Amino acid sequence: MWFLALLLIPVLVGCCFGLVGYGVGAVADGLSGLKERHVALRGLAALCGAGAAALYAWGLLAVLGAVVEAEDGGTDSSPVRSCRTPGWEERAAAGVEITGYRVGFAPLGFTCETSDGGSYDNGDVPGYVNPGLAGFALAATASAVSAGWFTERRARAVAGGGAVGDRDADAGGGARQEP
């Protein structure tokens, strides 16, 4: 499974570059007045999506690094090196051994399991990755939905014989204007 995650990283990086390229152009066109307002919102959604893709790739690299370190065999492989966080020797002396690990892809994390049935996060994934990922994904979704709303509002204004421009459609509320 982790091998497929390794293949996902170049795809995420490629998507990130593509979304940044589209997003910068769309935001610039929308804010300069060359295109309608909803184009800038689409660009903002693309930029937020690029941020989410970049953060996910970064967190995935951290998780995969922990997995590679955990799977590395040899004379010093027990307990799992990725789970040797500060205080693990004291827990082992008290009879709580490290028995295995779990990998989480949503949210990203590497969790060490102990013999007493407990578990703990080893801290390899930076603390800002999962909240930042959620924030970027939420902002991208909100921007995309807003762009769709503006597009629909403009289309209804045009179909109803109202004003065509975004600014006129916003002022008229999509209602039909009399000459």
Side-chain angles (χ1 to χ4, degrees):
M1 180 70 162
W2 65 269
F3 183 71
L4 292 175
L6 186 62
L7 293 175
L8 182 62
I9 291 173
V11 172
L12 287 170
V13 171
C15 286
C16 183
F17 280 112
L19 288 171
V20 166
Y22 171 77
V24 168
V27 168
D29 286 347
L31 293 179
S32 68
L34 293 175
K35 296 195 177 176
E36 290 85 17
R37 227 182 321 199
H38 61 87
V39 175
L41 284 172
R42 286 185 196 153
L44 182 63
L47 290 174
C48 290
L55 271 179
Y56 195 82
W58 181 250
L60 197 57
L61 275 174
V63 168
L64 291 177
V67 168
V68 166
E69 190 175 3
E71 293 290 325
D72 188 24
T75 57
D76 190 31
S77 63
S78 181
V80 175
R81 282 188 284 196
S82 296
C83 293
R84 295 181 192 173
T85 57
W88 75 272
E89 292 172 330
E90 290 81 18
R91 288 190 299 268
V96 179
E97 298 291 328
I98 299 169
T99 59
Y101 65 90
R102 236 182 5 241
V103 175
F105 292 105
L108 288 167
F110 187 91
T111 306
C112 302
E113 298 173 343
T114 58
S115 60
D116 64 349
S119 62
Y120 62 94
D121 184 37
N122 74 342
D124 278 353
V125 177
Y128 60 84
V129 169
N130 287 319
L133 182 61
F136 273 126
L138 184 62
T141 303
S143 298
V145 167
S146 296
W149 183 78
F150 275 117
T151 303
E152 177 68 21
R153 188 171 175 183
R154 182 173 186 270
R156 287 181 186 225
V158 169
V164 177
D166 272 340
R167 288 177 182 80
D168 294 336
D170 290 340
R176 184 177 197 158
Q177 296 179 356
E178 296 294 325

